[in-house]
Amino acid sequence: MAEEQTNAVSGNPLFQDLDAEASATEIESLCMQCHQNGTTRLLLTRIPHFKSIILMAFECPHCGLKNNEVQSGEAIQEHGHTHELRCTTKADLNRQI
């Protein structure tokens, strides 16, 4: 498992376990639609048995633009997996992967 990242100022872990009590960090950021200042909320969290993620939500009070994103909070793995599927009949497509 990856080494746990900590905040350089407080020494606390950057990514907290996912729970209802977690609070988001709010920062002021530029709206790409109207070029006024809006608010971005960031939540660095860890989903048990999965990985660390970054939840972002942007909202502009001037033009109403809203944007939500989920990004990986971990480094890209060096090695991946390739899965290949060959379908020869229509019945082959009646599967869940």
Side-chain angles (χ1 to χ4, degrees):
M1 182 170 273
E3 184 178 311
E4 188 170 291
Q5 297 173 332
T6 58
N7 184 317
V9 176
S10 68
N12 294 332
L14 278 178
F15 292 91
Q16 302 292 326
D17 288 335
L18 186 62
D19 66 15
E21 301 299 318
S23 62
T25 302
E26 290 191 7
I27 58 172
E28 192 174 284
S29 53
L30 182 67
C31 176
M32 292 290 107
Q33 184 168 307
C34 71
H35 304 290
Q36 298 289 323
N37 284 332
T39 303
T40 299
R41 292 188 314 267
L42 297 168
L43 181 64
L44 304 157
T45 189
R46 184 174 36 247
I47 299 176
H49 309 292
F50 186 57
K51 63 180 180 178
S52 300
I53 60 169
I54 303 169
L55 300 171
M56 293 182 283
F58 174 81
E59 186 172 358
C60 179
H62 306 285
C63 68
L65 177 71
K66 293 182 180 180
N67 182 35
N68 299 301
E69 293 182 40
V70 178
Q71 294 184 358
S72 175
E74 297 181 353
I76 297 173
Q77 300 296 317
E78 291 182 28
H79 303 284
H81 296 280
T82 301
H83 299 276
E84 184 175 320
L85 173 67
R86 293 189 186 162
C87 297
T88 56
T89 66
K90 186 176 178 180
D92 291 340
L93 297 175
N94 294 333
R95 307 267 185 234
Q96 285 188 340
I97 298 176

